[in-house]
Amino acid sequence: MIIAGVNLGQTSSSKPLKDGGAALVVDGHLAFALAEERISRSKAAGGYDEALRAGLSQCGIGQADRLYVSSCCQPMLTSQSANVRYVDHHESHAALAYFASGKSEAIVCVADAGGDVLSQSPSAGNWWEYRRQQLSVYRARSGHLELVDRQFDGPSECGLGEMYRAITHFLGWPSGRHAGKTMALSAYGPEIADDAKLFFEWKEGILKSRLSKFEPLKPKDTARKLLRSIGREQLADAWEKDGSEAARAEIASIAQASLEFGVGKVASYWCKKLACDFLCLSGGVALNCTLTSVLNQKHGLTVFVPPGAGDNGQCVGNAIVGYIREAGEPPSLGDFPYLGPRQQISHRSIESVMREIGVPGRITSHMNAAELYSDLADRLFNGEIIFWHQGRSEFGARALGNRSILANPMYSSVVQRLNKLKKREYFNPFAASCLDQESASYFANSQWSPYMTLAFDVRPAAMRREIASVVHKDGSCRAHIFRREDNERYYDLIRAFKEKSGIGLVLNTSLNGPGEPIVESIEDSLRLFKSTDIARTLVLDDFVVEKD
């Protein structure tokens, strides 16, 4: 049985949808998953055509037996054909988080800017004027998901995701996709300790916005109204009229504190009510790693966030739900999350691409892995930035050691060099990949974090100086903490760096240029390598490409 999970590229009213992709379950095993943007090379591309074509080719399949699809911002489609079935938007998010966690019992909280419309609206273009999904809570037990709560499901209600999206627009970024910048900037603002300064109130199990209604097509107006609702109009003026960076950071802090308050109240309420302290978090809000740290440290919850927590993960969620409906049991997740296309890498294929796109340099083959890792460890220790490309690409928004840019965390100068390539603002931090047995030396309350979706406080102060390039303004670090069985080659490379430097982690950021998807093919990596002077070493599996 072949089950394909995909995201629709547009609604029935022709509203474009982003973050497309395709996943395949083949005979009970998740065999493939890829975001559409990785093939099309268009950031946040919607739809699934190219990704599905790549998956079918990879698996040697002509077509899938069933296609399970999801949409957004419209009533869930009910018409069914022989081969197409529809999946509830929030159920898809919840299924990915729960089944990827490997736990039998969990509370699953799905929060985003909005999912399916919950009533059949006469005007699908005005989807926000009808009941719709924004925050859903599920009880997950023994392979089953039970919806136990919905919040912000009334017409025109401004939920957590919509609040954060509106503030992100107001702070100068043209899309809610830049919400991570709001999160990063919030660390530069003051601590918000007074609940009266937050955008939400909590009463008897219900989270309410101080804003009575919102208009998603006017996010800046929504942000101004939110600030007015807590008597902070002067902050809005200070940023909009005077360009005050202090006001901008304080607004970001209020938004972040409001998000942490809201999700914290809902999650802890249901975890206590249902006597379960393991929380799966999914939906776009789950990409906020500062939030996950607060849920763990302040509320005492063990938090799991899957790769692809945003809408690009829906293709996998749909495939999981589809297989359960067909077979009565969940599929094996196999090599999750390393599920991209396989590509044969040889001296000849690299040389051919280098010649085709004009990359000057030489290729060295390393048959002895230990020698390769030792050589790369020396380069990292001496301050080089290394482009690292191996095996199948990882699914999701984070580079997990197969499509990564690596650097020595001791050198703060690498931050400026990487910002030059990525064109990132000064307040955006870089993440770290850390060997599991070394994590307690660097991070408070550290835990296995194989998908780089959690943040941890760095300790002690001296250690913050030692790994300065991966420590954020607030003393935290988004960390990829993994075991050797998760990614053997990448683990052995960092272990070689540990032997050389005494430090069991490296700076790890995704292998891509500004505004581009993470690279997929060796062609993508070589083009990026050619375009920048920040790195002179590109590793492609066992081959090292060095610029002349």
Side-chain angles (χ1 to χ4, degrees), residues 33-35 37-38 306-309 312-313 337 393-400 518:
L34 187 69
E37 67 175 15
R38 297 290 187 93
N312 66 350
S393 60
E394 51 273 80
F395 182 77
R398 310 297 183 207
L400 304 174
I518 299 175

Side-chain angles (χ1 to χ4, degrees), residues 490-509:
Y490 189 45
Y491 192 95
D492 289 346
L493 170 62
I494 299 176
R495 186 164 57 186
F497 178 71
K498 160 73 175 176
E499 292 170 357
K500 179 70 178 180
S501 66
I503 297 175
L505 61 79
V506 297
L507 182 153
N508 171 18
T509 189

Side-chain angles (χ1 to χ4, degrees), residues 52-112:
L52 181 58
R53 191 178 301 115
L56 293 172
S57 175
Q58 162 90 26
C59 298
I61 298 166
Q63 65 180 23
D65 298 312
R66 292 283 190 279
L67 198 65
Y68 279 82
V69 307
S70 61
S71 184
C72 186
C73 306
Q74 67 178 358
M76 191 175 77
L77 302 173
T78 56
S79 61
Q80 298 184 356
S81 69
N83 296 319
V84 180
R85 302 287 187 272
Y86 296 98
V87 180
D88 175 290
H89 188 95
H90 275 201
E91 181 187 3
S92 177
H93 279 312
L96 170 60
Y98 172 48
F99 289 103
S101 77
K103 294 290 185 180
S104 175
E105 185 170 357
I107 303 302
V108 185
C109 182
V110 178
D112 55 16

Side-chain angles (χ1 to χ4, degrees), residues 30-199:
L30 181 63
F32 179 88
L34 187 69
E36 184 75 358
E37 67 175 15
R38 297 290 187 93
I39 300 292
S40 71
R41 306 310 301 160
S42 175
K43 188 72 172 174
Y48 60 87
D49 291 345
E50 293 191 54
L52 181 58
R53 191 178 301 115
L56 293 172
S57 175
Q58 162 90 26
C59 298
I61 298 166
Q63 65 180 23
D65 298 312
R66 292 283 190 279
L67 198 65
Y68 279 82
V69 307
S70 61
S71 184
C72 186
C73 306
Q74 67 178 358
M76 191 175 77
L77 302 173
T78 56
S79 61
Q80 298 184 356
S81 69
N83 296 319
V84 180
R85 302 287 187 272
Y86 296 98
V87 180
D88 175 290
H89 188 95
H90 275 201
E91 181 187 3
S92 177
H93 279 312
L96 170 60
Y98 172 48
F99 289 103
S101 77
K103 294 290 185 180
S104 175
E105 185 170 357
I107 303 302
V108 185
C109 182
V110 178
D112 55 16
D116 290 329
V117 172
L118 296 170
S119 57
Q120 294 296 318
S121 68
S123 175
N126 296 336
W127 44 268
W128 62 91
E129 296 178 353
Y130 300 87
R131 292 186 63 242
R132 67 192 183 100
Q133 298 169 328
Q134 291 195 73
L135 193 159
S136 301
V137 181
Y138 298 81
R139 183 177 194 172
R141 290 188 297 180
S142 303
H144 298 281
L145 287 164
E146 175 193 2
L147 179 68
V148 296
D149 189 26
R150 279 200 181 107
Q151 304 266 348
F152 304 110
D153 62 346
S156 298
E157 283 199 67
C158 183
L160 296 163
E162 287 289 8
M163 174 277 295
Y164 216 85
R165 171 181 168 271
I167 294 295
T168 297
H169 276 265
F170 186 72
L171 296 181
W173 297 293
S175 168
R177 297 184 59 79
H178 296 280
K181 296 180 181 180
T182 301
M183 177 187 70
L185 181 61
S186 70
Y188 289 77
E191 181 179 356
I192 311 298
D194 183 356
D195 289 354
K197 294 181 179 179
L198 302 178
F199 297 136

Side-chain angles (χ1 to χ4, degrees), residues 425-534:
E425 290 88 348
Y426 70 91
F427 50 77
N428 279 313
F430 285 99
S433 286
C434 181
L435 306 179
D436 57 340
Q437 75 268 29
E438 300 290 329
S439 63
S441 300
Y442 305 107
F443 309 120
N445 301 313
S446 67
Q447 66 180 74
W448 183 52
S449 178
Y451 308 129
M452 200 191 281
T453 51
L454 306 178
F456 306 92
D457 288 338
V458 179
R459 62 178 187 188
M463 191 60 73
R464 291 184 183 180
R465 291 193 297 271
E466 190 170 331
I467 59 172
S469 67
V470 297
V471 182
H472 193 31
K473 172 74 171 177
D474 60 5
S476 69
C477 173
R478 187 177 77 233
H480 169 216
I481 300 172
F482 70 110
R483 305 168 303 207
R484 189 170 188 268
E485 55 263 38
D486 298 324
N487 192 329
E488 290 185 8
R489 287 170 52 87
Y490 189 45
Y491 192 95
D492 289 346
L493 170 62
I494 299 176
R495 186 164 57 186
F497 178 71
K498 160 73 175 176
E499 292 170 357
K500 179 70 178 180
S501 66
I503 297 175
L505 61 79
V506 297
L507 182 153
N508 171 18
T509 189
S510 56
L511 185 54
N512 61 284
E516 297 177 347
I518 299 175
V519 302
E520 180 58 42
S521 66
I522 62 171
E523 291 86 352
D524 299 334
S525 290
L526 283 163
R527 284 192 181 94
L528 179 63
F529 186 55
K530 176 187 176 183
S531 72
T532 179
D533 61 1
I534 72 161

